[in-house]
Amino acid sequence: MLNSQTAQKLFPIIALATCFTIAPIVAKSQGLPGFTIFSGVEPSNQLSYRLDSGTRNTVDRYRLKIPGSKINRLGAAQIQITYPNYYKGKFDDKAVEVLVGDKSIPIESVEWNREAQTLQIDLAQRIKTKDDIEVILNNVQNPDGAGMFYFTAQVKSSADFPLARYVGTWILNIE
């Protein structure tokens, strides 16, 4: 048993050691917007995101946000994500979620086209909202190589209005 004087002397050391042990774990999560120089993407078109890990060659969760202000009065019935051909990660098209606030939006289908480098999410109903839309990609296998990857987002309002509208770019950083 420790006496109270010894415990008082050891407490600051243990507290400091605990902080150094936990800090790297907390700092692993990544996101944007941040300060990006020379990205080629206008700051108003840079979309925010969060990666649970952001580490190469790991299974990860991507939380990709689309501001409600980018969804005009026509709404969104389909979300299409395009990624660069040098991104060698793998998506689980059965583990995709779409949220508006805390509400889960029903998904009709998800199609991952490896050749065209697209992930197409067809929603069961059109979203008309001013709230942010969050696309959650679960069970993503991050690529073996680190790098910066530009994922672009386009939305279609409905089959009656088949043109996709660019809503922004997520600049993902995998370390």
Side-chain angles (χ1 to χ4, degrees):
M1 283 302 248
L2 294 175
N3 64 26
S4 64
Q5 280 185 328
T6 307
Q8 287 176 346
K9 290 178 184 177
L10 286 177
F11 180 74
I13 295 169
I14 293 169
L16 191 59
T18 303
C19 290
F20 285 120
T21 304
I22 293 174
I25 296 168
V26 173
K28 275 298 203 189
S29 178
Q30 296 185 30
L32 187 92
F35 186 66
T36 307
I37 302 175
F38 306 119
S39 71
V41 178
E42 292 290 325
S44 62
N45 289 327
Q46 292 181 16
L47 302 176
S48 65
Y49 71 93
R50 197 182 95 218
L51 308 179
D52 282 1
S53 167
T55 306
R56 62 185 172 186
N57 203 25
T58 60
V59 176
D60 209 343
R61 175 182 295 126
Y62 295 6
R63 296 176 178 272
L64 310 173
K65 289 198 177 194
I66 300 172
S69 61
K70 296 276 187 173
I71 306 299
N72 63 20
R73 61 181 177 75
L74 297 173
Q78 180 187 87
I79 301 169
Q80 184 172 335
I81 300 169
T82 306
Y83 57 92
N85 62 355
Y86 58 88
Y87 176 85
K88 301 300 181 195
K90 295 179 182 172
F91 301 104
D92 182 352
D93 55 3
K94 296 186 182 11
V96 175
E97 299 174 69
V98 176
L99 301 176
V100 174
D102 292 336
K103 183 181 174 192
S104 180
I105 303 301
I107 295 175
E108 188 174 302
S109 67
V110 176
E111 181 183 334
W112 176 29
N113 186 332
R114 292 176 175 99
E115 291 76 34
Q117 291 93 34
T118 60
L119 191 64
Q120 181 177 304
I121 305 163
D122 291 314
L123 304 171
Q125 59 191 24
R126 183 169 48 150
I127 301 172
K128 291 179 89 173
T129 183
K130 292 184 183 194
D131 294 331
D132 293 350
I133 297 172
E134 185 173 27
V135 178
I136 302 173
L137 306 177
N138 295 296
N139 303 327
V140 177
Q141 176 64 48
N142 283 338
D144 291 337
M148 189 176 293
F149 305 97
Y150 287 43
F151 282 43
T152 60
Q154 294 184 322
V155 297
K156 287 184 182 177
S157 301
S158 67
D160 297 335
F161 190 72
L163 297 175
R165 300 182 322 271
Y166 170 77
V167 292
T169 301
W170 298 284
I171 304 173
L172 276 61
N173 185 27
I174 307 287
E175 298 176 351

